[in-house]
Amino acid sequence: MIVNLTASSEPSPRSVRVGMSRGRRLSGPSRTSFADPRLSLLGARLLGHLPWVIVAGAAIATYLTALPNDFVSDAASLIPGNPSLVNSHEWLVWFSRPYFWGSNLRGSLLYRPLTVLSYLATIRAGGVAPFAFMVGNVLLHAGVSVLVLALGRSLVGSHAALLGALLFAVHPLHTESVAWIGGRADLLASLFALVSLVSFLRATGRDAQRPALFAGLAVVAYFAGLLSKEHVITLPVWLTFAWFVERRQRSLRWTAVALVGCLAGIIGYVVLRAGVMESLPRNASLVASRVAEGVGVPWRWFAGIAIAGKYTGLFFWPGALTFDYTGYPAAWSRLGRVAPLEVLWGSVVVLGVLAALAWAIRAHRGLALALALIPVTYVVVSAFPFSPQLYMAERLTYLPSVGACLGAGWLLLRVAEKAVGVVPGRTGLAHLKDLPAPAWARTGWERVTSGFLLSLLVALAARSAIRNMDWRTDQTVSRSALAVSAESPLALRGLAYEEYKRGNLEAARALSEQSIRLKPAAWEPYALLAQIYVKAGETEKAITLYRQTVVELPQRLELTHNLGGILLQAGRVEEAESLFRQIIADRPEFFPSHLALGGILLERGRPGEALELFRRAGAIRPDSAMAWFGMARASLALGRVTEARAYADRARGMGLRLPEEFLRSLERGTR
């Protein structure tokens, strides 16, 4: 906004309100002028900060309904169910640990230390209450929205950037990232990514001030983004594209410095990640083999295109949002094909983005850079063309939607200008920085147009506010998914587990069986159904179910291990021991069976063998307090009291509460 700073003790008879000009610079003082020049300057500064306040305020207000949300889904195991994290007073050590360290979740290819440190900082500042985590998520989203405005002002102009940033702040497609505590990784990675992009543009401008500082900030922020979530790894492609499109306005020297710094960041990230996860080569080989398998399956190619169309549909009409989109890939996998209309729509979307990008390179370079963010950041999370798994989740669109929202803001503003008869060549988007205010905010059609834009933002914010409450608990998020699709396997399984915890075994059984029918390749519903049988006193029925399922899903060793657990529970120790030994022989790194077999051997009076198994378990998962406690029990049984005490202290340091009987035995052994 342009505010006349000319001091005058007498107001002009033609005083004009800020924001009512048709693009002509005002020569007389406005009604916002002050008699004292210092007050006039202060007023201008306050008005200059107003867009930033509006965007941050819109983001925070939209997500106030998310503040009462609880730990849902993986977040419950990752944070409050993770004693290693909750009781940790160390910081740097988390750079040497994988993402799910200390929890009962496994994700060997995930390395996000800064995200984990953000959880730890929240715990140290506000405890383990979910409210503190939700406040952090909302504030991070507000920060990202403000950075969208900052980036947009450099690319598409002040007013289009403001509209695009407001769209980003209130869009319902972002509720999973913000209203779910587990979405913190997307928020942090996007925050650092945008800091990197804005800093890069500041560093590489021809008349840039302190380019070395901003180039360094761009590199550091990029590396921080990688340590938050690996999805930002393709940003150097955008930096290269930015120089190519605006090479006459961008410094080649500082572009090269930033790119070399980012390349060094990628190398450092890979080295850190490889050093932390010893199983990385094996897992990378597994992923590569799955990718190779997918290349020869034609329907997977079409599925990747169709998913891009699904995301686009949700962006323009975010009515049917759910946490479970597995129904689409599951149906495609069962049929071995994708519906032609879905492929056609996805193709239109992909070609449309590429065509718009090609046009913008010639007509509006800043818009081209905004649109380029969509494919550059989306390709990492897309299922096209060779993804090892077909996966769809709303949170994956958080960073790609930055470009989409800025492009939509530019388009909406352009349409609004056309509607009110603004001549693009004279007062169009090329001169937005010279406009005192949007040309469509005056009277008549202008008010109708501005009213429509305001109504659109309010409607999106209201949809987000309602959607936030779906993430309140596991039960509410599952029920909301079933409201979208009655054939949601994950939602059915979630509700089945909730009914199981309440003791409603018949309802839990029916829901589990329905989930199995919809997604027979998933092992978790079988395990839950077996638990239901055991709780209902039908142990033999659970054993029969497991035996059948092990044959149908031989690659899922979790099922074989669970069968051993039920056999042990039923007193069939020999069978259980044999099964656990078979699992360890087939897959030596399968941690749960080492722990279970060690427990059996310890109970059967063979502490030496048990200690060796517990040590192997601790080598596989050093974050397991139960492995260290097993070593302590076996060492005590062997009479190695000092060793047992050291192991017990290690387990206790991870947050495990040791049984009183064991502590008494340890104390007697010490005496």
Side-chain angles (χ1 to χ4, degrees):
M1 294 183 179
I2 305 297
V3 179
N4 195 329
L5 303 182
T6 306
S8 174
S9 57
E10 296 291 333
S12 168
R14 297 185 60 206
S15 296
V16 184
R17 289 175 298 165
V18 174
M20 304 298 281
S21 167
R22 287 187 176 269
R24 300 184 297 272
R25 290 189 177 273
L26 302 180
S27 57
S30 70
R31 293 191 185 190
T32 57
S33 298
F34 301 91
D36 189 331
R38 290 173 297 179
L39 293 179
S40 180
L41 182 60
L42 176 62
R45 287 178 176 173
L46 290 175
L47 288 175
H49 291 307
L50 188 58
W52 311 95
V53 174
I54 290 174
V55 170
I60 293 172
T62 299
Y63 285 94
L64 288 177
T65 55
L67 294 179
N69 289 1
D70 204 347
F71 293 103
V72 173
S73 187
D74 292 352
S77 299
L78 184 60
I79 302 171
N82 186 349
S84 296
L85 177 64
V86 172
N87 300 305
S88 176
H89 293 279
E90 301 171 304
W91 296 88
L92 293 180
V93 70
W94 290 97
F95 284 96
S96 63
R97 295 173 175 175
Y99 186 52
F100 290 129
W101 175 281
S103 74
N104 60 1
L105 300 172
R106 301 266 61 83
S108 55
L109 288 178
L110 297 182
Y111 176 64
R112 301 168 182 174
L114 284 189
T115 301
V116 177
L117 287 177
S118 78
Y119 292 142
L120 181 58
T122 306
I123 292 171
R124 298 280 76 85
V128 195
F131 180 79
F133 288 87
M134 282 311 314
V135 169
N137 275 20
V138 172
L139 292 178
L140 281 171
H141 176 62
V144 174
S145 301
V146 167
L147 285 168
V148 172
L149 175 60
L151 180 66
R153 287 164 75 100
S154 300
L155 300 180
V156 294
S158 302
H159 301 136
L162 177 59
L163 189 52
L166 287 172
L167 283 171
F168 184 89
V170 304
H171 203 288
L173 201 54
H174 301 152
T175 49
E176 182 175 357
S177 297
V178 186
W180 177 46
I181 292 172
R184 175 73 62 89
D186 294 279
L187 298 172
L188 274 177
S190 299
L191 183 82
F192 289 125
L194 290 174
V195 169
S196 180
L197 297 184
V198 172
S199 299
F200 171 80
L201 294 178
R202 291 285 298 273
T204 57
R206 290 295 182 186
D207 300 322
Q209 297 180 353
R210 294 177 294 178
L213 172 65
F214 286 105
L217 182 58
V219 172
V220 171
Y222 172 69
F223 187 57
L226 282 175
L227 295 177
S228 300
K229 191 171 184 179
E230 53 282 348
H231 292 172
V232 304
I233 196 168
T234 54
L235 284 189
V237 176
W238 188 90
L239 305 185
T240 305
F241 180 77
W243 176 82
F244 174 78
V245 171
E246 296 186 327
R247 52 190 176 276
R248 294 182 180 178
Q249 290 81 36
R250 301 261 160 231
S251 166
L252 177 59
R253 175 190 175 188
W254 292 110
T255 299
V257 167
L259 287 173
V260 170
C262 289
L263 179 61
I266 293 174
I267 294 172
Y269 170 75
V270 171
V271 169
L272 271 174
R273 186 166 178 163
V276 167
M277 288 167 283
E278 298 176 358
S279 61
L280 183 62
R282 182 184 62 82
N283 286 318
S285 175
L286 179 63
V287 170
S289 65
R290 290 181 180 176
V291 168
E293 290 173 7
V295 171
V297 183
W299 71 264
R300 290 181 63 89
W301 291 66
F302 296 124
I305 297 173
I307 287 176
K310 296 286 185 186
Y311 282 135
T312 305
L314 291 174
F315 180 80
F316 286 109
W317 185 256
L321 299 177
T322 175
F323 85 102
D324 180 19
Y325 292 95
T326 57
Y328 297 121
W332 298 334
S333 180
R334 285 196 306 268
L335 298 173
R337 62 181 179 84
V338 184
L341 285 179
E342 293 176 330
V343 178
L344 178 62
W345 168 238
S347 302
V348 169
V349 167
V350 173
L351 294 175
V353 170
L354 294 178
L357 185 58
W359 171 84
I361 290 174
R362 299 191 309 272
H364 195 303
R365 295 190 182 112
L367 177 62
L369 294 183
L371 294 177
L373 276 172
I374 302 173
V376 167
T377 56
Y378 175 71
V379 69
V380 189
V381 298
S382 70
F384 179 81
F386 313 124
S387 173
Q389 62 177 350
L390 292 174
Y391 186 67
M392 183 175 174
E394 293 162 19
R395 64 184 179 276
L396 301 183
T397 67
Y398 190 77
L399 184 55
S401 68
V402 171
C405 287
L406 289 176
W410 181 91
L411 181 62
L412 286 171
L413 191 64
R414 185 77 178 207
V415 170
E417 288 184 336
K418 292 285 187 181
V420 300
V422 175
V423 181
R426 200 155 46 89
T427 57
L429 291 169
H431 299 81
L432 274 176
K433 292 182 180 179
D434 297 331
L435 290 174
W440 35 263
R442 296 187 301 273
T443 58
W445 279 107
E446 294 90 331
R447 289 180 178 175
V448 172
T449 307
S450 56
F452 166 76
L453 294 177
L454 182 60
S455 299
L456 174 65
L457 293 171
V458 170
L460 290 173
R463 176 70 182 100
S464 295
I466 295 171
R467 173 64 177 158
N468 291 337
M469 295 183 284
D470 291 340
W471 289 95
R472 190 78 82 228
T473 63
D474 284 298
Q475 186 175 18
T476 57
V477 77
S478 296
R479 292 197 181 281
S480 68
L482 288 176
V484 173
S485 171
E487 297 186 348
S488 169
L490 292 182
L492 289 167
R493 191 177 78 212
L495 284 180
Y497 184 63
E498 291 297 319
E499 296 295 340
Y500 168 77
K501 289 193 296 184
R502 288 192 177 93
N504 301 328
L505 300 185
E506 285 302 320
R509 180 182 304 188
L511 290 166
S512 297
E513 291 172 348
Q514 189 177 354
S515 177
I516 290 171
R517 284 195 298 272
L518 291 171
K519 198 175 180 181
W523 68 272
E524 295 92 347
Y526 295 102
L528 178 57
L529 184 57
Q531 284 183 355
I532 294 168
Y533 286 148
V534 171
K535 193 169 184 178
E538 301 174 296
T539 304
E540 287 301 320
K541 203 168 183 178
I543 293 173
T544 302
L545 172 66
Y546 268 129
R547 291 195 188 280
Q548 293 173 347
T549 310
V550 165
V551 175
E552 295 172 3
L553 302 173
Q555 73 280 12
R556 303 308 313 205
L557 289 185
E558 295 89 347
L559 294 171
T560 310
H561 175 81
N562 288 354
L563 172 59
I566 290 183
L567 290 171
L568 184 61
Q569 209 173 341
R572 295 153 69 168
V573 181
E574 295 286 348
E575 290 183 68
E577 181 180 340
S578 174
L579 208 54
F580 291 137
R581 289 188 184 277
Q582 177 189 332
I583 294 172
I584 293 172
D586 291 341
R587 192 185 294 178
E589 75 280 4
F590 192 75
F591 164 81
S593 292
H594 284 80
L595 211 58
L597 182 57
I600 291 175
L601 295 176
L602 189 59
E603 293 298 325
R604 302 187 75 179
R606 294 150 69 182
E609 292 180 64
L611 179 59
E612 181 60 29
L613 282 163
F614 287 132
R615 282 175 173 168
R616 288 185 203 165
I620 297 168
R621 275 191 57 185
D623 59 324
S624 171
M626 291 304 298
W628 294 102
F629 178 53
M631 293 180 223
R633 291 174 60 207
S635 298
L636 185 61
L638 289 168
R640 304 174 185 174
V641 180
T642 303
E643 189 176 325
R645 182 173 293 279
Y647 288 141
D649 289 342
R650 182 74 177 265
R652 191 157 31 197
M654 291 181 174
L656 181 66
R657 185 172 180 178
L658 303 183
E660 291 295 330
E661 183 181 351
F662 170 79
L663 293 174
R664 285 194 294 269
S665 299
L666 187 62
E667 187 64 28
R668 286 195 298 269
T670 304
R671 290 174 184 172

